[in-house]
């Protein structure tokens, strides 16, 4: 089975596994090892601390298998307008934009810059990666109700949520019920029968695959798909087809 990783990180970070890739060559070797054909790639510095520094670190990527993801800084006093940021990102070949609300405690449903960016992205159906990572935090970091409200304002915007572990799944289920455009990374839902539950209740199109790097064992999640109690069509959708559909439906021109 061929996989597509929607959240492949490059760079070092606290708590990252030693084998987490820090270069393009290491990322491609990791992908080859686990049958990952393509990936959305972000830099850990962009996610955790400095979006522009991390975004610049992706400039040298050359493989067509690696699709750049830029992080967005929601700070209200930044001079560059969100629309200008999106234009600059698209000119650099970016395929998705990442926002980490927990870098500085931002609420996406109330941030003026995030809302303006989301409006521009929704017009083009460009995926937004809502990555909730706090340097000293663990599981259950996503405000699912706030994220659902945000998604509801932009129904054409594909939003993919990621956190280290979504153990409190009832708020997540509520959010998925409220917001049809909300998808969840497979690597965040490591509980028994979660794939089956989400596929049955919301559809296989609501899950995207990830190896779980940089913090989780990349050997885990291919097996989660392979052994899930769903049909082969659903497995193929989760493994790669949902990823392809997001990129195919986006307007990058």
């Amino acid at each position: 089975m061929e996989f597509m990783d929607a959240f492949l990180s490059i760079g070092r970070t606290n708590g990252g596994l030693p084998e987490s890739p820090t270069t393009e060559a290491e990322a491609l070797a990791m992908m080859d090892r686990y049958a990952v054909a393509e990936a959305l790639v972000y830099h850990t510095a962009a996610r955790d601390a400095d979006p522009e520094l991390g975004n610049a670190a992706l400039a040298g990527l050359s493989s067509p298998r690696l699709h750049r993801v830029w992080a967005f800084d929601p700070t209200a006093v930044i001079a560059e307008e969100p629309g200008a940021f999106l234009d600059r990102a698209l000119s650099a070949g970016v395929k998705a934009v990442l926002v980490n609300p927990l870098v500085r405690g931002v609420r996406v449903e109330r941030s003026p810059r995030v809302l303006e960016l989301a409006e521009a992205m929704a017009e083009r159906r460009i995926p937004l990666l809502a990555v909730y990572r706090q340097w000293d935090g663990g599981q259950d970091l996503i405000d699912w109700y706030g994220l659902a409200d945000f998604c509801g304002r932009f129904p054409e915007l594909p939003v993919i949520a990621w956190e280290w572990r979504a153990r409190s799944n009832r708020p997540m289920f509520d959010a998925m019920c409220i917001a049809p455009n909300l998808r969840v990374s497979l690597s965040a839902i490591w509980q028994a029968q979660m794939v089956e539950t989400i596929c049955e209740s919301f559809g296989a199109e609501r899950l995207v695959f990830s190896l779980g790097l940089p913090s989780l064992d990349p050997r885990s999640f291919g097996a989660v798909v392979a052994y899930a109690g769903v049909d082969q069509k659903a497995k193929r959708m989760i493994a790669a087809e949902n990823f392809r559909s997001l990129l195919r439906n986006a307007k990058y021109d």
Side-chain angles (χ1 to χ4, degrees), residues 36 83 107 113 197 203 217 232:
V36 175
R107 292 178 58 178
R113 279 177 57 81
T197 298
D217 190 333
Q232 288 298 315

Side-chain angles (χ1 to χ4, degrees), residues 1-215:
M1 185 178 295
E2 184 177 74
F3 295 96
M4 307 284 188
D5 192 331
F7 292 91
L8 184 63
S9 65
I10 290 180
R12 303 190 186 282
T13 185
N14 292 343
L17 297 177
E19 60 266 40
S20 297
T22 60
T23 66
E24 178 176 9
E26 291 174 357
L28 292 171
M30 176 73 71
M31 292 164 63
D32 289 342
R33 182 175 180 183
Y34 297 108
V36 175
E38 299 175 48
L40 288 172
V41 180
Y42 68 89
H43 199 280
T44 53
R47 181 197 66 180
D48 298 343
D50 188 328
E52 289 299 332
L53 179 66
N55 296 343
L58 300 181
L61 297 182
S62 60
S63 173
R65 298 169 60 191
L66 303 178
H67 305 290
R68 290 182 182 86
V69 175
W70 273 13
F72 177 70
D73 192 331
T75 305
V77 296
I78 290 177
E80 183 182 43
E81 296 291 333
F85 167 85
L86 182 60
D87 289 341
R88 181 163 60 91
L90 295 176
S91 295
V94 167
K95 299 300 183 184
V97 175
L98 179 155
V99 172
N100 181 1
L102 300 183
V103 170
R104 295 294 183 267
V106 171
R107 292 178 58 178
V108 293
E109 77 277 16
R110 298 187 65 179
S111 167
R113 279 177 57 81
V114 173
L115 293 173
E116 188 175 340
L117 175 69
E119 184 175 7
M121 292 177 63
E123 292 177 359
R124 296 170 173 264
R125 296 192 296 274
I126 295 170
L128 177 70
L129 308 186
V131 175
Y132 288 73
R133 196 270 182 178
Q134 199 169 43
W135 74 271
D136 59 349
Q139 61 192 16
D140 297 329
L141 296 176
I142 295 178
D143 173 5
W144 288 106
Y145 297 102
L147 185 58
D149 289 344
F150 171 80
C151 291
R153 295 183 64 166
F154 308 101
E156 298 302 316
L157 176 67
V159 178
I160 312 174
W162 178 98
E163 66 177 331
W164 179 68
R165 187 181 188 186
R167 189 171 186 178
S168 295
N169 50 35
R170 288 162 180 79
M172 181 185 71
F173 292 153
D174 284 350
M176 296 184 78
C177 183
I178 295 167
N181 55 324
L182 176 62
R183 297 160 178 82
V184 178
S185 171
L186 179 72
S187 66
I189 55 167
W190 31 301
Q191 292 173 298
Q193 284 79 56
M194 286 291 287
V195 173
E196 293 87 342
T197 298
I198 290 174
C199 287
E200 180 179 348
S201 300
F202 306 108
E205 66 274 9
R206 305 295 293 279
L207 290 171
V208 295
F209 180 80
S210 176
L211 290 174
L213 293 167
S215 300

